[in-house]
Amino acid sequence: MPKLKTNRGAAKRFRKTANGFKAGHAYKRHILTKKSSKRKRQLRGPMGIHPSDVGSVQRMLPNA
């Protein structure tokens, strides 16, 4: 039986927590001048992964 390989792109984007996975927010890299302060502020910090996507992330990160 071959070893399970980790999806390296997913490994850089998701981190395992006690209650699931967390990831960074999208839309906070560039073209920030037209975005409101409120919108940029709410994009700070980690975001939890939606329960419907947890299975996909677990498949990509078998050793997490």
Side-chain angles (χ1 to χ4, degrees):
M1 189 73 185
K3 292 181 180 178
L4 292 173
K5 285 196 172 182
T6 297
N7 180 309
R8 298 313 295 162
K12 295 167 189 174
R13 287 171 172 82
F14 305 110
R15 291 282 173 264
K16 181 85 168 102
T17 66
N19 300 318
F21 291 90
K22 68 178 180 179
H25 284 275
Y27 308 112
K28 185 79 195 303
R29 295 290 178 208
H30 59 101
I31 314 176
L32 297 173
T33 52
K34 63 173 78 169
K35 294 173 185 149
S36 68
S37 299
K38 177 182 178 180
R39 185 171 165 193
K40 290 184 281 192
R41 186 171 59 248
Q42 289 177 337
L43 291 172
R44 285 183 203 154
M47 153 183 91
I49 300 300
H50 194 273
S52 63
D53 296 323
V54 169
S56 308
V57 176
Q58 281 178 332
R59 251 192 321 279
M60 291 188 280
L61 302 174
N63 301 316

